[in-house]
Amino acid sequence: MAGAHAALTELSRDNGRPLLDAVRLGGQLMDGIRDAGKRRGVPLLVTGFGTGFSLHFTERAALRTYRDTLDDDRELFRRWLLECLEEGIYLLPDGRFYVSIAHSAEHIAKTLEVFDRVLARCASASAVSK
């Protein structure tokens, strides 16, 4: 209980500013991932909200049921995860992202730089394999 109380106290500091900042940064990360996908011609869908979201490599504009995730390009996702790992970005293997009050604008910017490079490589590898 003491840990939960300490966490809630920190999150509610300054009228909830820490949590609002995390949501804002997460939104920037989501938008940046979408932009990188468009720029590199990689079909992807980002679902969720600022502090918790998922990435799907799919042509779908939305996910309506859990079965829609079966259309995800799993090979492209696997390649993307491995490339991110090579760049020093450690991600959950199922495509979920979490942004917390520990993250900064610099973390988001560096992550997006890596994602752009990785998506460029994935796009070129995908073009070669077609």
Side-chain angles (χ1 to χ4, degrees), residues 1 9 18 21 23 28 36 48 70 74 86-87 95 97-98 101 110 112-115 118 128-129:
M1 296 287 284
T9 298
D21 288 345
V23 169
Q28 290 174 1
L70 298 175
R74 299 205 187 284
E86 287 291 324
E87 292 264 359
F97 290 78
Y98 295 102
I101 64 172
K110 287 180 182 179
L112 288 173
E113 287 175 20
V114 169
F115 285 178
V118 167
V128 169
S129 67

Side-chain angles (χ1 to χ4, degrees), residues 22-94:
V23 169
R24 179 182 49 78
L25 288 174
Q28 290 174 1
L29 183 57
M30 292 171 70
D31 290 343
I33 292 170
R34 287 183 191 109
D35 291 345
K38 288 177 189 167
R39 191 169 45 257
R40 299 301 182 179
V42 175
L44 56 82
L45 177 65
V46 182
T47 60
F49 56 93
T51 56
F53 59 93
S54 295
L55 177 63
H56 304 271
F57 287 95
T58 182
E59 297 281 348
R60 288 184 177 274
L63 301 177
R64 307 247 186 265
T65 72
Y66 75 92
R67 289 182 188 99
D68 293 346
T69 64
L70 298 175
D71 292 339
D72 287 7
D73 185 334
R74 299 205 187 284
E75 178 56 31
L76 179 56
F77 186 78
R78 186 191 68 76
R79 184 180 316 128
W80 180 76
L81 278 174
L82 291 173
E83 292 278 346
C84 284
L85 187 58
E86 287 291 324
E87 292 264 359
I89 302 289
Y90 302 96
L91 300 167
L92 292 171
D94 65 357

